[in-house]
Each structure stands twice: as C-alpha cells, then as structure tokens.
C-alpha cells in the first residue's frame, strides 16, 4: 500500500489472512506430517492463558474476511496450509 506520511493515521485495520477452522488445521497437519491429528474442543474454563483469545475466536470475531492485510502487504497473505508446510519442513 503506497502512500505518504500520515496515510494510516487514525485508520483501523482488520489484519486477517485467509480464513480457516481448527478442524481444517488438524487435517492439514495430519496430511503434511503423515501422523494422525484431531481437533478436540475444550471448555473455555480449561483453556488457561488462551481462554481470552479462544473466547474471541469462538464468538466469531475473526470469522469475517478482510482485505486489509493483503492491501498493507501488497501481496496475497500466506495461507494456513503454506504456514503448516513451512513449520514442518
């Protein structure tokens, strides 16, 4: 995203990449690693330090797509399958 000084002043951006679910993440890790992986939902009161973020995710806060990240990067955002492949490489 080109622009001059102050172009982003006072703006709020939704920095989301391509959407995915935990079930899709588990399936991708299983496919890429060759090991069985499943997603098991746990109650928020058992999520420990992740309860806050898990609650936001469960509420659907991140369920709407946004083009802001792509616009700021000036390229497509890296998708979850690519990130899993890179992490397991």
């Amino acid at each position: 995203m080109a622009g001059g000084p102050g172009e982003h002043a006072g703006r709020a951006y939704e920095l989301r990449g391509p959407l995915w679910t935990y079930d899709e993440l588990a399936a991708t890790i299983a496919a890429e690693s060759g090991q069985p992986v499943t997603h098991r939902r746990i109650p928020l009161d058992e999520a420990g330090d992740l309860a806050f973020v898990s609650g936001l995710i469960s509420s659907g806060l991140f369920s709407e797509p946004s083009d802001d990240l792509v616009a700021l990067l000036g390229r497509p955002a890296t998708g979850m399958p690519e990130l899993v492949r890179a992490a397991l490489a």
Side-chain angles (χ1 to χ4, degrees):
M1 180 177 266
E7 174 188 0
H8 304 286
R11 298 222 22 214
Y13 295 98
E14 299 290 336
L15 301 181
R16 301 178 190 143
L19 301 179
W20 51 269
T21 67
Y22 285 116
D23 288 331
E24 291 170 334
L25 175 60
T28 301
I29 294 170
E32 294 297 324
S33 70
Q35 300 294 316
V37 176
T38 58
H39 166 234
R40 181 179 61 92
R41 185 178 206 130
I42 61 170
L44 288 179
D45 62 348
E46 294 179 22
D49 292 339
L50 298 177
F52 174 72
V53 174
S54 296
L56 293 175
I57 292 168
S58 297
S59 74
L61 179 66
F62 301 109
S63 64
E64 294 294 323
S66 169
D67 293 329
D68 289 349
L69 183 60
V70 171
L72 289 169
L73 290 172
R75 62 169 175 77
T78 303
M80 180 269 297
E82 294 81 15
L83 291 172
V84 168
R85 276 188 220 105
L88 293 176

